[in-house]
Amino acid sequence: PSRLTLSSSSSSLEDPCMVFCSPPNRRLYCALCNKVYKDPVITTCGHTFCRRCCTSKPNEKCPTDGYQISVVVANLTVSDQVGELLIHCKFGCQLKEGSTDEWELMPEGGCPLTIKAPQRRLHERNCEYARVPCPNGPACPLVTKKDLNKHIRVCEHTPCPHHIKYECRFRGTHEQLSEHLNSCQYEQLKGILTMFEDGIASLNRRVKQKDEEIADMRKNFETRLERQADNQAKLSRELAGFKSQVRCLTNEMQAIATRAGLQQESNYFKCVGTFVGHDGPIWCLCTHGDLVYSGSSDNTIKVSERKDMLAGD
């Protein structure tokens, strides 16, 4: 047998319901718990015990030679021998009268199969004699899998098909259920209710779709805002750089001009009076040679000499 089989055998023996088809050899009993080995291991003194018996109590001593025991290695040979033992399905067994841990075969009505320990879990998971609850609720007693369909046909707690969605409180047999459906208000309104439910479901789908669209729009808007903020920060940094360059160039030009001793002469006009002869505001001034021309809104042009208007330091 494989390691998986041996492990399955050990876990199967953990079930308290254990009825062997024939009494096991006494050499397959643990000297510490006086039960058939469960996950047998070889200890430091050379004897075999259940793994749990060796590890559950500190400083456990061997009952044969008195040495303190500790686990060395799994006893695969004994595990194989235990795995070959035939046992009865637990759904064919019952507690002995007045006992809490001793089991015996049921006189009738139980599973008749005998199986090896490694096959126990697989069989009992699908056993037709396993007792299961009625799907109509806890008011019914447990029934065997093989009798479940028969029980459902006569079960007195069959609910109305509208009990979950609309909380119809009817319960009865299948015959009574057929009569009830003829007068059940939810059954009569089933078409209208279904139409409303379909409409609500459609609206919910549309709302969900709109929510997703709004979420996408919000995400795109936030992305654009972040991008715009990044661009603005970048432009601000570039503008600050340009201003710094302009200041540097200006300072350099002023320094060059100072070293070269350059001076700029500046002449400017100074109004020493009014432009006599205009009846309206002056729109334009220009010079040509020593003459100054002025134009006004009165459609006249006045000519003056520049030397009369030019002033210096």
Side-chain angles (χ1 to χ4, degrees):
S2 64
R3 291 292 179 89
L4 179 60
T5 303
L6 295 174
S7 175
S8 300
S9 174
S10 299
S11 62
S12 298
L13 291 172
E14 294 293 335
D15 197 307
C17 177
M18 182 67 63
V19 179
F20 293 96
C21 296
S22 58
N25 192 307
R26 291 302 305 177
R27 287 181 292 183
L28 297 179
Y29 281 77
C30 175
L32 293 176
C33 64
N34 201 29
K35 295 181 180 179
V36 174
Y37 287 119
K38 300 175 183 177
D39 194 7
V41 295
I42 301 174
T43 61
T44 49
C45 64
H47 296 105
T48 299
F49 304 99
C50 301
R51 182 182 295 274
R52 180 175 296 178
C53 294
C54 297
T55 58
S56 60
K57 297 180 181 179
N59 303 322
E60 186 69 62
K61 292 185 178 181
C62 176
T64 302
D65 51 32
Y67 290 116
Q68 184 173 337
I69 59 178
S70 61
V71 177
V72 176
V73 68
N75 194 330
L76 302 182
T77 301
V78 174
S79 292
D80 291 348
Q81 294 174 4
V82 173
E84 292 298 319
L85 296 176
L86 291 176
I87 60 176
H88 291 279
C89 172
K90 72 176 181 180
F91 298 116
C93 303
Q94 63 183 11
L95 280 171
K96 289 184 179 180
E97 186 176 356
S99 175
T100 59
D101 60 357
E102 294 186 15
W103 296 76
E104 63 182 2
L105 286 177
M106 296 173 60
E108 60 181 10
C111 179
L113 293 180
T114 58
I115 50 180
K116 293 181 180 180
Q119 303 168 348
R120 178 176 192 169
R121 298 297 185 198
L122 177 61
H123 164 72
E124 291 177 352
R125 190 160 48 242
N126 302 291
C127 181
E128 288 295 313
Y129 288 84
R131 303 182 72 80
V132 295
C134 174
N136 293 332
C140 298
L142 295 177
V143 295
T144 59
K145 283 184 180 180
K146 66 184 185 67
D147 295 329
L148 182 59
N149 291 333
K150 179 180 178 181
H151 166 78
I152 291 176
R153 288 194 293 269
V154 298
C155 180
E156 297 180 351
H157 302 92
T158 303
C160 174
H162 305 295
H163 77 286
I164 296 178
K165 185 178 292 185
Y166 304 117
E167 299 184 355
C168 181
R169 298 183 179 276
F170 170 84
R171 287 185 179 271
T173 63
H174 274 275
E175 294 180 359
Q176 294 171 338
L177 176 61
S178 299
E179 297 177 359
H180 164 74
L181 291 177
N182 293 329
S183 58
C184 179
Q185 58 180 337
Y186 301 109
E187 180 69 15
Q188 296 174 2
L189 297 175
K190 181 169 62 175
I192 298 176
L193 293 174
T194 301
M195 181 179 65
F196 278 113
E197 290 171 358
D198 293 342
I200 293 174
S202 177
L203 288 175
N204 287 334
R205 288 192 297 270
R206 293 177 61 185
V207 169
K208 182 179 179 181
Q209 181 181 359
K210 294 301 180 182
D211 288 340
E212 292 175 352
E213 292 177 358
I214 292 173
D216 291 339
M217 293 174 63
R218 182 181 292 111
K219 183 177 180 181
N220 292 334
F221 180 71
E222 292 175 353
T223 301
R224 291 183 179 181
L225 283 180
E226 292 177 358
R227 191 178 302 165
Q228 183 176 358
D230 293 340
N231 292 337
Q232 185 175 357
K234 181 180 178 181
L235 289 174
S236 297
R237 290 192 299 270
E238 292 178 352
L239 180 59
F242 291 152
K243 288 182 178 179
S244 177
Q245 293 177 8
V246 169
R247 285 195 297 271
C248 292
L249 291 174
T250 302
N251 294 334
E252 290 179 1
M253 291 177 65
Q254 290 177 351
I256 292 172
T258 301
R259 289 196 299 270
L262 298 179
Q263 295 182 352
Q264 295 182 354
E265 297 182 355
S266 58
N267 295 326
Y268 57 92
F269 288 108
K270 180 177 180 182
C271 183
V272 296
T274 58
F275 286 99
V276 180
H278 287 299
D279 296 330
I282 296 173
W283 285 0
C284 177
L285 284 175
C286 64
T287 63
H288 180 71
D290 293 330
L291 300 179
V292 177
Y293 297 86
S294 61
S296 174
S297 60
D298 59 2
N299 298 324
T300 61
I301 297 175
K302 181 180 177 181
V303 180
S304 305
E305 292 187 4
R306 183 177 179 184
K307 61 181 180 177
D308 298 331
M309 304 176 64
L310 191 62
D313 291 333

